Amino acid sequence: MKKLNNIGLDVTSSQQTADELNDLLSNYQVFYMNLRGFHWNIRGKRFFELHLKFEELYNDALIKVDEIAERVLTLSATPLHTFTKYLEVSEIKGTEDITDGETAISSILEALTVLLKKERAILSIAGDANDEGTVALMSDYIVQQEKLVWMLSAYQN
């Protein structure tokens, strides 16, 4: 007989989902810090609009960091919580001293490609595990980020 966690999901499947969520969490933490840097260091003619947009994006990323960590806890696992581990795990790499809006937006679009790939993988794993809570969370993120990719891509052109 399968062992179930506190929310009635298979322990092994939940641990696999939690492991993938921890990977996503690590990527979000690095993404968040990159967004903060863009917000602080942006220069040029589009300063005011980009400064505000980057603030909006880092506030959203911070909310997602908390939601992902809490979902890991809900699955009876432990969220990663050190920057050493985040940097070790994250596919998104830290950026430094980016002051140009076009470069910052390109970096954001690259990061969103990574996040979307990871979220789609988690969506599939969680779906196979009948983990509707994680499926719903990933579905919401994917819809929002696909629209953001469209908008940022349109802004670049």
Side-chain angles (χ1 to χ4, degrees), residues 128-156:
D128 291 345
N130 296 316
D131 177 357
E132 186 58 38
T134 302
V135 166
L137 191 64
M138 292 302 104
S139 292
D140 289 347
Y141 289 5
I142 290 166
V143 168
Q144 179 195 25
Q145 289 164 348
E146 287 175 342
K147 184 174 182 179
L148 181 58
V149 166
W150 160 61
M151 293 177 126
L152 291 174
S153 296
Y155 184 82
Q156 278 189 317

Side-chain angles (χ1 to χ4, degrees), residues 88-149:
E88 180 183 310
V89 172
S90 181
E91 185 178 332
I92 297 171
K93 299 303 174 202
T95 60
E96 287 186 53
D97 303 324
I98 293 177
T99 60
D100 173 67
E102 292 300 319
T103 304
I105 290 171
S106 291
S107 178
I108 292 167
L109 286 167
E110 289 172 19
L112 288 169
T113 298
V114 171
L115 295 173
L116 281 163
K117 180 181 84 173
K118 291 180 181 301
E119 290 159 356
R120 287 184 179 113
I122 294 167
L123 182 76
S124 177
I125 291 165
D128 291 345
N130 296 316
D131 177 357
E132 186 58 38
T134 302
V135 166
L137 191 64
M138 292 302 104
S139 292
D140 289 347
Y141 289 5
I142 290 166
V143 168
Q144 179 195 25
Q145 289 164 348
E146 287 175 342
K147 184 174 182 179
L148 181 58
V149 166

Side-chain angles (χ1 to χ4, degrees), residues 2-18 71-77 129-131 134:
K2 287 185 175 184
K3 185 174 177 189
L4 304 180
N5 63 17
N6 292 341
I7 59 172
L9 296 174
D10 176 68
V11 169
T12 304
S13 297
S14 290
Q15 186 59 56
Q16 180 186 10
T17 303
R71 189 65 197 166
V72 170
L73 289 162
T74 301
L75 294 173
S76 302
N130 296 316
D131 177 357
T134 302

Side-chain angles (χ1 to χ4, degrees), residues 72-87:
V72 170
L73 289 162
T74 301
L75 294 173
S76 302
T78 303
L80 298 179
H81 54 275
T82 67
F83 279 102
T84 302
K85 197 64 169 175
Y86 297 147
L87 293 172

